Structures are given as C-alpha cells and as structure tokens.
Amino acid sequence: MNVRKKQTRSKKRVIIKQPLSPNTVALSDKLQVLFTKAGRLIANSSLPEIFLVSGYIISRYLFNADFSYPSEIVLDIALFTVLLTIIYRIFRIAVGVHGVLAVHLAALPVSYFLYDYTNAFKPLVKFFLIFFPDATSFEKVVMLTILLSIFFGALSTIFTRLVRRYAPNAYLPLLKILIFTVTFIFASQCFKMALQIWKIRSELAYKQPVISLKQDKSKVVSRPNIYYIVFDRYANDETLKDVYKFDNSKMLQTLQDQGFYTRDKAYSNYPFTMQSIGSTLRMQYHTDLYTQFKDSAQPFQAGFAYRTFLDNPPAMAELKKNGYTYNAVSSWWDFTRKSPSANHEPSQSYRLRVMGKTFWASDLQRDIINRSALSPLLLKGITIGGFPIIQYDLDRNFEQIFHLQMSELEKIVASSQQSKTPQVTFAHVLLPHDPYLFMPDGSRVEYDGERTDKDVDEYTKYKNQLEYANSNLAKLVKNIRTEDPNAVVLLQTDEGPYPKEFRGIQNAKRYYTPLLLDSAKMKYKYGSLASYYLPGVTSDEAAKNMTSHVNAFRFVLRHYLGYDLPNLPDCHFAVGAKFNLYDYKDVTKQVSPSSTSDCTSSL
C-alpha cells in the first residue's frame, strides 16, 4: 500500500513539473508581454503628450462632425506631433535624470498649454505676462512656453524626488497610472470618433450624381458674363418693414433704376445656407437626398452631401462646358471658402505652406490652430532664402475677408471686357449675417457683435450692418452695370435672419427648429432679397420666369444658352434641425399661404 501511494504521488509530481511547450503558453501571458512592451514604448516616447492633445483635437472634431470631415484633424495632429516631440525631448534632457515620470509630469501640462494657448493656466499666464507686457504674439508664446516649462519642470522634479525618497514603491505604479489614464482617454476618444464616422458613413460616401442636360446650341442667344451674388441673411422688404421697422426703399429704388427686376415677397426654398445655395446651384430640389438619407443616423446627420454641390456646382459645370471661366470669391464659411472646381479663387484665406506644398485650412483646422500656440509660431514661420519651410498666412478676420471680397469683385468687373472667355462669378458675402461688425458708415462697432441684445438690441445691430451692406451692394451693382453692361446679375439671399428666440449654441440636444415656427415666423426666416438684371428680358418675362430661387440658373441656361430646363414649382421645405438635415417637410403653405404650387413630387 505504501509503495502504491508513493508511486501515485511520484506520477503526479512528474505531471505537475512537466514544462509547457511554447505553443501552449497562455493567451493571458502573451497579452501581458504585449502590454508591457507597449507600456514601455509609450512611457519612453512623446506618445503620452501626443495622445493628450490628439484626444482634445478629436473631441473638437466630434463637436463639429456635422460639417467637418474626419480627415481634417490629420494636419493638426501632425503639426502637434512635431511640436510635442520637441518639447518631450527637451524635458528628457532637462529632467530625464529623475526618470520618465518626471519627464511626463512636466511635458503633459506644457503640451496642454500649447494646445489651449488662449485659455490654459490663465492665472499663471497672467502673472508671467507682467514681465513682458509689450512683447509681440510670437515673443509671448516663446517666453510663456519657456517660463511654464521651467515651472512645471521644477514641480515634476520636486515631486519625483519626494516620491523616490519617501515612497519608492509608489514610483512605478504612479507612472503606470499616468500612462494608462492618458492612453485610455485617447483610446475612448478614438472609439467615439469611430462610432460617429460609422453613423454618418452614408453621408461621407455620397457622390454627386452625374446629370445630363439637353442643350440645343442653335438656340444660343449669347454668352453673357454672369454674377451670382449672395448677401447672407438679407431679409425681404416685408420682413424689414414688419419686424425691423426698416425702410429699404432706397436700395430697392437703386436696383430698379439700374434695370433690375425685384421679386416681390420672395422666399428662399430652404431655411439653411447649404440647402438653399446648394439647390440654386444644382438647379433642382433635394428630392434625391430626402429619399436616400431621411432615415439615416437620426437624430444626427452630416451636411457632406450639400458640400458636394458647393464644391462642384452643376450650374457652373454646365457653364464651363460652354467656355465659361468660373470665379469663386471665397467667404470665411467653410463650405464656400474653397471651391475645387473654380478656375479662379481670388479671396482664399487661411493658407498653410509646408515645404512648398499648400494646405488651405478648414474651419476646424483654423479653429484648432488659432486657439493654440501654433498660431503665433506658424505666423512667424520658418523661411530660408524666401522659401517657406513652414508658414501660416492669409489669416484674415471676417472684416478683412469682406473688404477683400468687395475688392476682388471690383477687379473681376474691371477686367470683364478684356477677358477672352465669358466669366461666371459666385460670391457668398456674409453680410448682414452676424457677427455684427459694422456701423452704417463702415466704422467698427463698439458693442458686442454677437447675436445678443447685449449693449444694443440685435435688431439695431442687424440694421446697422444692413445699411453698410446696402452701400457696398449699391456700389457693386452700379459698377457692374457701368463696366459690364450686358452681364446677367443674380442677387439672391440664401436665407432670412434668425428669430431672436433661436440663439445660442446649437447642438444635437439644443437646436434651432424651423418646423416649430408659426406662419409669421416662417415668412421671417424664409423672406429674402431676389433681384435680377437680365439683358434682353422684359420685366414681364422676368416676373413670369424668375419665380423661385431654384429657377434662377434654370432660366439663365434656358434663355441664353438653349438648355431644356423648364421651371420648377416655387416650394419651401424645412427640416427638424441642423442635425436632421434630410427629412424634409413641405411648409409651402405656411411660408406662402396663397401659393398654388404642387410640391409633393419635389420633396
């Protein structure tokens, strides 16, 4: 019995001690090795700093995901990667002797400061600025970065030495916690971004359908120069009288004296810019978008489908087929800031040049750059022999862009008769759209320029800016009629002003909802200026054909260039919000109670 027991125990011991094959190592052990290696790689590099700032950049994208492409954050992350790697290396040399914990404890807050330069560590920054009050923006960011680096470098050194002396066993856990926290936050932001991209994947993948329009070239009357000019949120006469108590008869008389036909009580087809201008430029209603996207990703939808019509407008494509040169007078708004299909873009802004390559910064990219230390650094730039290694320029404010637009339009008009090809010019002018920057004489306002009643009632702010817009519009119209008398001029507002009750931050939980407006407010929001100069067309013909914003280019192409483009009914559609962009509802009767248009098939 004793022998058998000993033999059994012996066999058990042999089984227990038998070494495991490399192929049978537990998966958990492999993961542990992988995580250990990854942790060491992250800890011994600038990745924590890059993860921190990249997480903030992604959160900024998520806040703007309805209009910003995911790819737009790549440029900003690349710029910060270079900058933060330099910062990390400096701290590695300065405090690296105390370990990587000290390096990251110093580099992380400085990295955050560089990202949020305008807001980070305000009390500390305010104190440091006392020592160089007259410094330039570039000098300030350099000096503040140096002083904050010294400050946080000293704090991290003191903290790390205290830990090593009094709690040495806590050093490694603290480092692991720090690395894990930063990495986890970055990973969670990436996950949120992936979910968002998945939600809007259909809008991101949208391709503008190819259209084939019939043209009888034997019916071509002429190829006049064409000006399509949008003064954003310019209300119609009815709204100006009833809501703003403003007499706009002087401007309307100016247009009449110049031979313009102004559509009485005109209303836009849609309540938002991208929908309205997009419909005008594609010469049709967004029926296909309603069918394709109305049920997708609610309650959040992205506006990329509309952007395709503004990037490559069908109306401009047809005109280019007829030998036209397309001029896009760029605005500060993202969707009309850059026009890939334009032959000439004289007022582009926000240019980043890197090793001879040019990147035009989008709204999102510009916002991230301008709130960070990158702005003064890149504006200073690095050039060698006049060649820009890296340079950010044309960083114009809204006022500068408006004056540049007026100047470039004047140049286009002046050169119109010398051009070898007919010209079509599209200008999206963000006036009287807020921010309210101008008094009637063009001087800068001394009150808050936002859509508030702070300092001055918003209606007064709007009227002041409208008067200045009128003086510029009147000058532009007279200039076109004098220098380019046979040109077609299309003056159309994209949308009316916003009612006061719809102010403040717009997001998926709080948004402006046109569908909730009563008929009077519908007229207010949709009411717009629609005035046209059409050479060779009588007022009666214009009244018969220029019946709706969507028909503007349909008539021009039909009348002058022989296209088969009959008019569409004058319809008005609304969506639930700027985050529900395709589920249209027919509000024609609310906007225009006397309308007899059948809009069922145009939804």
Side-chain angles (χ1 to χ4, degrees):
M1 291 292 292
N2 293 336
V3 172
R4 288 196 187 99
K5 286 181 181 179
K6 286 182 181 180
Q7 287 177 343
T8 303
R9 284 196 298 268
S10 177
K11 286 181 181 180
K12 287 181 181 179
R13 282 197 297 269
V14 169
I15 293 171
I16 293 170
K17 290 182 179 181
Q18 185 176 356
L20 292 173
S21 167
N23 295 327
T24 61
V25 174
L27 178 61
S28 60
D29 293 338
K30 291 183 178 180
L31 289 176
Q32 186 176 358
V33 171
L34 181 63
F35 286 143
T36 300
K37 288 182 177 180
R40 287 174 181 171
L41 174 64
I42 295 171
N44 289 284
S45 69
S46 58
L47 283 174
E49 289 70 32
I50 295 169
F51 286 170
L52 175 72
V53 171
S54 296
Y56 279 110
I57 291 174
I58 292 172
S59 68
R60 187 73 176 168
Y61 159 73
L62 291 172
F63 186 76
N64 296 276
D66 49 339
F67 295 132
S68 299
Y69 288 103
S71 59
E72 291 177 22
I73 66 173
V74 173
L75 179 62
D76 295 290
I77 290 176
L79 291 171
F80 273 108
T81 295
V82 174
L83 180 60
L84 300 181
T85 300
I86 293 171
I87 293 296
Y88 167 80
R89 288 297 173 187
I90 291 172
F91 279 114
R92 189 74 184 248
I93 295 170
V95 300
V97 68
H98 302 290
V100 291
L101 178 61
V103 174
H104 292 304
L105 286 176
L108 284 169
V110 174
S111 298
Y112 172 69
F113 164 75
L114 294 173
Y115 165 75
D116 198 11
Y117 172 62
T118 56
N119 296 301
F121 310 120
K122 280 190 174 180
L124 198 56
V125 168
K126 186 176 180 181
F127 170 74
F128 285 144
L129 286 176
I130 295 172
F131 302 104
F132 40 96
D134 300 322
T136 64
S137 296
F138 174 76
E139 291 168 343
K140 284 180 181 178
V141 73
V142 171
M143 293 303 297
L144 284 171
T145 302
I146 292 172
L147 291 173
L148 286 170
S149 295
I150 293 172
F151 177 78
F152 287 113
L155 282 182
S156 68
T157 299
I158 292 170
F159 177 80
T160 307
R161 293 186 68 175
L162 288 174
V163 169
R164 286 188 178 280
R165 181 170 182 178
Y166 296 106
N169 293 333
Y171 179 88
L172 189 57
L174 285 174
L175 177 60
K176 288 182 177 180
I177 291 170
L178 179 65
I179 299 303
F180 174 80
T181 302
V182 173
T183 305
F184 177 79
I185 293 173
F186 171 69
S188 65
Q189 290 295 88
C190 289
F191 180 72
K192 290 179 183 178
M193 182 176 175
L195 284 179
Q196 186 60 45
I197 293 172
W198 178 256
K199 287 180 183 179
I200 61 175
R201 64 191 183 281
S202 56
E203 290 99 318
L204 283 169
Y206 177 80
K207 301 294 183 184
Q208 186 174 174
V210 177
I211 60 172
S212 178
L213 301 179
K214 294 180 180 179
Q215 181 186 19
D216 185 348
K217 293 197 175 182
S218 67
K219 294 182 179 180
V220 174
V221 174
S222 63
R223 293 192 302 165
N225 290 330
I226 302 170
Y227 299 87
Y228 171 42
I229 301 169
V230 177
F231 271 71
D232 203 302
R233 295 189 191 170
Y234 195 121
N236 67 9
D237 191 47
E238 179 185 30
T239 298
L240 292 176
K241 284 180 181 177
D242 296 345
V243 178
Y244 291 89
K245 312 303 178 186
F246 181 80
D247 182 4
N248 202 35
S249 58
K250 182 179 178 181
M251 185 66 231
L252 297 180
Q253 186 62 50
T254 296
L255 293 172
Q256 183 176 332
D257 292 344
Q258 293 294 337
F260 278 68
Y261 162 71
T262 300
R263 183 152 45 99
D264 185 37
K265 295 184 179 180
Y267 303 103
S268 60
N269 302 118
Y270 296 93
F272 301 131
T273 301
M274 57 187 170
Q275 299 164 340
S276 181
I277 296 180
S279 177
T280 298
L281 288 173
R282 72 183 300 208
M283 303 177 290
Q284 66 183 60
Y285 292 108
H286 302 304
T287 309
D288 56 329
L289 301 184
Y290 170 77
T291 303
Q292 186 171 348
F293 296 126
K294 65 185 177 74
D295 297 321
S296 68
Q298 293 196 35
F300 187 99
Q301 295 171 322
F304 304 118
Y306 301 109
R307 193 166 188 164
T308 64
F309 305 128
L310 297 173
D311 283 350
N312 299 287
M316 302 308 178
E318 293 301 322
L319 290 167
K320 288 172 72 174
K321 289 178 185 177
N322 284 269
Y324 277 78
T325 297
Y326 173 27
N327 306 311
V329 182
S330 309
S331 74
W332 52 258
W333 183 56
D334 220 17
F335 282 30
T336 54
R337 176 185 298 169
K338 178 153 180 63
S339 302
S341 62
N343 302 108
H344 183 41
E345 298 179 84
S347 59
Q348 277 189 279
S349 300
Y350 316 115
R351 177 177 62 185
L352 178 66
R353 293 180 289 176
V354 182
M355 299 300 292
K357 293 187 179 294
T358 296
F359 304 90
W360 294 99
S362 67
D363 268 352
L364 178 63
Q365 291 167 336
R366 176 183 59 83
D367 289 346
I368 292 171
I369 289 174
N370 284 355
R371 73 181 289 174
S372 74
L374 287 175
S375 180
L377 292 175
L378 293 175
L379 286 170
K380 181 73 172 179
I382 301 173
T383 58
I384 298 177
F387 179 79
I389 303 300
I390 186 166
Q391 179 78 51
Y392 179 56
D393 60 2
L394 307 183
D395 184 29
R396 303 183 178 104
N397 60 37
F398 298 164
E399 179 183 2
Q400 291 170 327
I401 290 176
F402 169 72
H403 289 306
L404 180 63
Q405 285 183 303
M406 294 297 102
S407 174
E408 293 300 334
L409 280 169
E410 185 176 341
K411 291 178 184 177
I412 291 171
V413 173
S415 64
S416 59
Q417 298 305 304
Q418 288 73 47
S419 176
K420 295 180 180 179
T421 61
Q423 309 280 307
V424 56
T425 301
F426 168 43
H428 179 208
V429 181
L430 275 298
L431 247 67
H433 189 291
D434 59 284
Y436 302 112
L437 305 175
F438 300 106
M439 295 296 288
D441 62 357
S443 59
R444 284 300 300 266
V445 301
E446 295 182 357
Y447 47 71
D448 173 54
E450 299 303 316
R451 288 192 62 241
T452 65
D453 293 324
K454 182 181 179 182
D455 303 326
V456 176
D457 185 90
E458 187 189 352
Y459 288 166
T460 301
K461 298 176 184 179
Y462 179 90
K463 288 185 287 185
N464 287 340
Q465 190 133 296
L466 176 65
E467 287 194 61
Y468 186 58
N470 276 347
S471 64
N472 282 272
L473 179 56
K475 180 181 176 182
L476 175 61
V477 165
K478 290 178 181 178
N479 192 26
I480 294 174
R481 294 291 297 114
T482 301
E483 299 291 335
D484 199 0
N486 296 314
V488 169
V489 185
L490 309 174
L491 301 178
Q492 275 192 174
T493 310
D494 55 330
E495 58 175 339
Y498 275 55
K500 276 189 177 183
E501 56 264 45
F502 296 109
R503 298 193 292 203
I505 295 174
Q506 305 287 306
N507 56 49
K509 294 182 179 179
R510 183 194 182 282
Y511 45 73
Y512 166 73
T513 307
L515 289 171
L516 296 181
L517 298 176
D518 58 27
S519 182
K521 288 291 176 64
M522 281 275 192
K523 291 181 178 181
Y524 174 9
K525 185 66 189 78
Y526 285 74
S528 57
L529 174 69
S531 191
Y532 314 98
Y533 182 78
L534 304 163
V537 178
T538 66
S539 294
D540 289 341
E541 286 179 299
K544 181 180 178 180
N545 290 284
M546 304 303 284
T547 56
S548 184
H549 284 33
V550 73
N551 290 326
F553 278 101
R554 294 181 77 89
F555 175 70
V556 170
L557 292 181
R558 180 172 73 245
H559 180 79
Y560 295 101
L561 296 170
Y563 277 81
D564 182 16
L565 282 169
N567 274 4
L568 299 176
D570 183 27
C571 300
H572 311 284
F573 301 106
V575 289
K578 281 192 174 182
F579 298 89
N580 183 358
L581 297 169
Y582 304 100
D583 189 9
Y584 293 112
K585 307 297 180 186
D586 182 6
V587 294
T588 303
K589 286 296 184 182
Q590 291 98 307
V591 174
S592 183
S594 61
S595 173
T596 58
S597 296
D598 180 7
C599 300
T600 306
S601 61
S602 300
L603 243 176

